[in-house]
Amino acid sequence: MAEGVVGIARAFMGAGARSVLVSLWGIDDEATIEFMKSFYHYLAEGKPASESLNLAMKSLRESDKFRDIKYWAPFSLIGDDVTFDFMAKERDK
C-alpha cells in the first residue's frame, strides 16, 4: 500500500503541490478528525508542516482514546516542509 501512497503523492506534487500529508494505512475516522484538527491548528499558528505533524501525532499519543500506535503512526509528510501565512490575504487588503 505504501507504494500507492507515494505514487499518489507524486501525482499531487507533479500538479504543483509543494507538500502532501499521507496516511500509510487506513485508520479510524474519528482519530483522523482529531489528528487533522490538531495538525491544521498548528499550521494556522504558523508552525512548519513537519512540526505541526509531530505535535498532532503527540496530541493523539497523549489522548486517552487514540494513544495506540495504530492511530497516530501512519501519517507521513512528503515534500517540502512548508509554512503557511493564513493571514497574508487579510494584511494585503
Side-chain angles (χ1 to χ4, degrees):
M1 179 157 148
E3 296 84 14
V5 169
V6 171
I8 290 171
R10 281 189 188 149
F12 277 107
M13 294 178 82
R18 290 179 45 211
S19 186
V20 180
L21 179 66
V22 299
S23 174
L24 300 177
W25 60 79
I27 62 168
D28 178 81
D29 288 343
E30 199 176 341
T32 302
I33 290 168
E34 291 306 311
F35 176 85
M36 289 298 173
K37 281 184 197 176
S38 183
F39 177 73
Y40 283 104
H41 167 80
Y42 292 117
L43 270 182
E45 285 186 345
K47 292 183 176 18
S50 63
E51 184 178 354
S52 298
L53 171 64
N54 287 329
L55 290 167
M57 292 170 81
K58 182 178 185 234
S59 167
L60 287 186
R61 278 194 317 269
E62 292 176 349
S63 75
D64 291 333
K65 192 168 186 180
F66 302 116
R67 71 174 50 152
D68 192 282
I69 192 169
K70 69 182 179 182
Y71 294 119
W72 55 265
F75 295 100
S76 182
L77 189 65
I78 298 174
D80 295 338
D81 189 15
V82 296
T83 302
F84 295 99
D85 185 354
F86 290 103
M87 298 308 291
K89 277 190 170 182
E90 293 297 317
R91 285 192 302 273
D92 292 343
K93 288 183 179 179

